[in-house]
Amino acid sequence: MALLIAPSVLILLLTNAYPIAYAAFQAVHNGSLINSGEFVGLDNFARVLGGEAFWKAAGFTLVFTFTGVFGSWISGLGLALLLQKRIPARGFLKTILLLPWVVPVVVSSTSWNWLLATDSSPIPSLFRTLGLGEVRFLSDPFLAQVTVCLFIVWLNFPFMMLMMSAALTSVDESIYEAAKIDGATPRQQFIHMTLPIIAKPTYISWVLMTIFCVNEFPAIYLLTHGGPVGSTSTLVVLAYRTVFQNFQTGPGVAIAFMMTVALATVATILFRQIRKSRVE
Amino acid sequence: MTTTSLTRSPGTQVRRTMDPADRGKWKRFWILIVVASVALVPIAGTFILSLRSNNGTGGVTLDNFIHVLADTEVVAWLLNSLQVTLATVVVSVLVAAPAGYVLSRGRSRLVEGYSLLLFVIQSLPVITSVIPLFILFSGMGLADNLIGITILYVASSMSVSTWMMASYMDGIPDSLEEAAWIDGASVFGSFWHIVMKNSLPGILSTAIFTFLMAWNDYLVASIFLRSSGTFTLPIGVQTFFQQHSTDWGSVMAVAVIMMLPPAIVFAALNKYFSVGGVAGSLAGR
């Protein structure tokens, strides 16, 4: 048994335990990617927490994660419900609806850029034609935030659709028949029968999606680079830009390290909770 | 659980329509068609632009594809991506399958602890580990290197692939192995000959997941791959996009080339793919 799991343990230790220990070292030094620098204590943390960028990014991380989780869950569940019963071309529809999740994000961010980026792009042109004025999706700070949130929902609703479809297959059709005869409206059926049955998979999918969204990097970076004026920078994007664009390794690693500690704590609590609520 | 009442409560009327079930079916179908059409605009646009000729006539042509395949480094990047992705898939399955087997059959505190560890590691931001690993790998000559990137992909898909394997193996009865043990097979022997042989759908599911992960990764590759000879498609494509941002025909042709392998893999193996297992194995057994 021990031998079977050994390769997995070794890879995890090499690629996680060592780097996290080293990141802790970097967070309290003023080094760079090339030299390790001097010990500066909690200086990096003080600099990061004293700056405005960190709190802005933390705020947007919350908004982005919240819309990402619930936007993709509601749309994914809606589609899963529509696909639950027999309809024409069900397999085909299910497959093409998975495409946003299957297509590489490098590609989809390029397509979105082509659709939205400039005043002459298709969607802004359409808005102009409809008399809605100049809508600058990626250059207005607030609209860029909305666009990035829409993009993450578009990327992840297929995953939620898969999760919810899997959950709905465990719902026995015959209970609906019985409920119908008892005169339950579709809404009542959904609230009192479907929702309790899919409650646990739903909770797990929220947990997973929260983790995905907090850690999301390419979707944001490739669409907006975290701009304009940092409005779409989440903490991960901010850490990346601090290290690789501003060459401030210490502060950048400090942001990443704080996220690591926070996420490890939250993940441990959530995992215990999921395991405790075991039904069987 | 529910008793069907044959007496209708007063006030509910039986509405007679043509065939309500049939009408609802088509209504749902059209809603889905509309949603899918809107959702697929970015992807459809990519295909249309890649096939449109640049001479202003707007005809259909393969010129963009011929140009990017013949005159750019796209083919080299494609081969790099294929090598890295296939190596990741094979190594991931070989590492995750035995680990998943231990999680599926093990009943000790250590096994439970390892499940927790996998979950926690899965939830950490990649960027924390990437910077120290970049320094470590640079020292070993693995930074700007396809083997190095393969190791990182195996590591970052490890948690999910192990869960997927474990949840599939949960469905394989223990009695098969126990019979083999009585016949004198070792734990490893029974795992390899019995469990692995019966886990093909689980293996395929894991393979699809790791394929998508390795094929699509941008973050790790953007930090580790520094010379265009080692670029995988996402990095190559990104630099190509920056240089040719006005030549949408070529850009979208490259995008379509990058889209095709995952789309083909997914279309061919779609029926084996399930993410439900991830939820199941997280929920515990």
Side-chain angles (χ1 to χ4, degrees):
Chain A
M1 280 287 187
L3 272 180
L4 291 174
I5 206 165
S8 170
V9 176
L10 273 178
I11 291 178
L12 280 190
L13 284 180
L14 166 79
T15 55
N16 287 285
Y18 161 80
I20 290 169
Y22 194 89
F25 171 89
Q26 283 182 306
V28 292
H29 286 73
N30 65 354
S32 67
L33 290 176
I34 302 143
N35 65 48
S36 51
E38 318 255 302
F39 178 77
V40 291
L42 296 179
D43 228 22
N44 291 324
F45 292 90
R47 266 173 66 191
V48 165
L49 295 173
E52 200 181 304
F54 175 85
W55 299 105
K56 249 180 87 172
F60 184 63
T61 305
L62 284 178
V63 172
F64 174 80
T65 303
F66 186 84
T67 46
V69 172
F70 291 103
S72 62
W73 178 66
I74 290 166
S75 43
L77 176 61
L79 290 167
L81 286 167
L82 287 169
L83 287 161
Q84 192 188 0
K85 302 199 181 94
R86 287 205 61 77
I87 51 160
R90 182 164 70 166
F92 171 74
L93 282 167
K94 207 169 177 170
T95 307
I96 60 166
L97 281 167
L98 289 176
L99 279 174
W101 190 66
V102 174
V103 166
V105 68
V106 173
V107 171
S108 42
S109 60
T110 306
S111 311
W112 276 61
N113 258 313
W114 164 74
L115 280 169
L116 298 167
T118 65
D119 287 349
S120 56
S121 301
I123 305 264
S125 304
L126 180 73
F127 273 57
R128 243 197 327 276
T129 316
L130 295 172
L132 296 165
E134 296 291 338
V135 185
R136 296 194 162 81
F137 287 96
L138 296 179
S139 51
D140 173 87
F142 174 71
L143 279 180
Q145 291 185 331
V146 174
T147 307
V148 165
C149 289
L150 277 175
F151 187 43
I152 195 75
V153 170
W154 183 85
L155 285 172
N156 284 323
F157 82 81
F159 175 82
M160 281 294 195
M161 188 178 86
L162 281 176
M163 289 281 266
M164 292 296 110
S165 286
L168 286 170
T169 50
S170 62
V171 181
D172 186 5
E173 281 294 318
S174 61
I175 64 166
Y176 291 116
E177 298 302 324
K180 255 188 221 136
I181 293 167
D182 284 342
T185 62
R187 173 187 299 221
Q188 286 172 325
Q189 286 175 37
F190 178 72
I191 291 173
H192 296 291
M193 300 167 72
T194 312
L195 271 185
I197 293 173
I198 62 168
K200 186 153 186 182
T202 293
Y203 178 68
I204 292 173
S205 71
W206 286 353
V207 169
L208 287 175
M209 193 51 71
T210 302
I211 290 166
F212 290 161
C213 290
V214 171
N215 290 319
E216 180 56 57
F217 174 80
I220 302 170
Y221 189 77
L222 293 170
L223 196 63
T224 64
H225 285 275
V229 288
S231 64
T232 57
S233 281
T234 55
L235 287 169
V236 172
V237 177
L238 182 69
Y240 180 93
R241 291 176 64 170
T242 309
V243 173
F244 292 100
Q245 285 172 0
N246 309 339
F247 303 107
Q248 299 175 322
T249 308
V253 173
I255 296 169
F257 191 75
M258 283 189 277
M259 284 188 72
T260 300
V261 173
L263 280 162
T265 313
V266 171
T268 307
I269 294 166
L270 288 173
F271 184 84
R272 293 249 156 91
Q273 214 182 6
I274 291 173
R275 287 287 164 120
K276 246 205 299 236
S277 64
R278 214 178 283 193
V279 189
E280 298 86 28
Chain B
M1 59 184 268
T2 344
T3 51
T4 55
S5 67
L6 293 172
T7 50
R8 287 191 179 280
S9 51
T12 54
Q13 288 177 352
V14 191
R15 274 190 304 172
R16 299 200 185 284
T17 48
M18 291 284 290
D19 185 352
D22 215 46
R23 222 181 40 180
K25 191 165 82 172
W26 285 103
K27 200 170 116 185
R28 281 198 300 274
F29 172 77
W30 286 113
I31 294 173
L32 281 164
I33 290 284
V34 171
V35 171
S37 309
V38 173
L40 295 178
V41 163
I43 296 168
T46 306
F47 275 94
I48 292 165
L49 285 185
S50 73
L51 292 166
R52 211 163 57 178
S53 67
N54 291 330
N55 57 15
T57 55
V60 173
T61 169
L62 287 177
D63 286 355
N64 293 319
F65 288 92
I66 294 163
H67 162 64
V68 296
L69 290 173
D71 310 335
T72 67
E73 289 179 274
V74 166
V75 176
W77 298 333
L78 183 72
L79 291 174
N80 284 346
S81 261
L82 281 172
Q83 284 177 51
V84 168
T85 303
L86 294 176
T88 303
V89 167
V90 172
V91 178
S92 284
V93 168
L94 288 177
V95 173
Y101 176 66
V102 174
L103 287 194
S104 164
R105 299 294 190 258
R107 287 281 178 275
S108 67
R109 287 191 73 89
L110 266 178
V111 169
E112 182 69 6
Y114 196 65
S115 301
L116 168 67
L117 187 68
L118 282 176
F119 183 69
V120 169
I121 280 174
Q122 179 61 37
S123 57
L124 302 180
V126 176
I127 191 148
T128 314
S129 326
V130 157
I131 301 162
L133 283 171
F134 179 71
I135 297 165
L136 175 74
F137 277 31
S138 297
M140 295 159 73
L142 285 172
D144 191 9
N145 174 299
L146 296 180
I147 294 173
I149 211 108
T150 304
I151 296 171
L152 293 170
Y153 289 167
V154 170
S156 50
S157 63
M158 177 89 69
S159 295
V160 180
S161 25
T162 306
W163 287 329
M164 281 182 154
M165 290 309 309
S167 74
Y168 193 81
M169 287 168 179
D170 283 344
I172 299 173
D174 303 0
S175 51
L176 288 174
E177 296 139 71
E178 283 157 8
W181 294 340
I182 293 166
D183 293 340
S186 65
V187 169
F188 182 80
S190 67
F191 159 73
W192 191 251
H193 293 293
I194 293 166
V195 181
M196 280 300 264
K197 276 212 177 101
N198 286 300
S199 301
L200 188 66
I203 291 170
L204 285 173
S205 196
T206 308
I208 296 168
F209 167 79
T210 45
F211 185 99
L212 291 179
M213 198 279 322
W215 187 265
N216 296 354
D217 166 77
Y218 174 81
L219 173 58
V220 175
S222 77
I223 292 168
F224 277 73
L225 303 177
R226 297 279 166 184
S227 49
S228 71
T230 58
F231 281 177
T232 51
L233 264 178
I235 307 303
V237 164
Q238 197 51 30
T239 52
F240 185 89
F241 289 167
Q242 279 155 2
Q243 287 157 10
H244 303 79
S245 59
T246 48
D247 179 7
W248 282 112
S250 300
V251 166
M252 293 308 193
V254 177
V256 168
I257 291 167
M258 187 169 173
M259 245 194 265
L260 286 177
I264 292 166
V265 166
F266 212 81
L269 301 173
N270 190 349
K271 61 172 177 288
Y272 296 107
F273 189 70
S274 103
V275 291
V278 175
S281 55
L282 267 182
R285 292 178 284 273

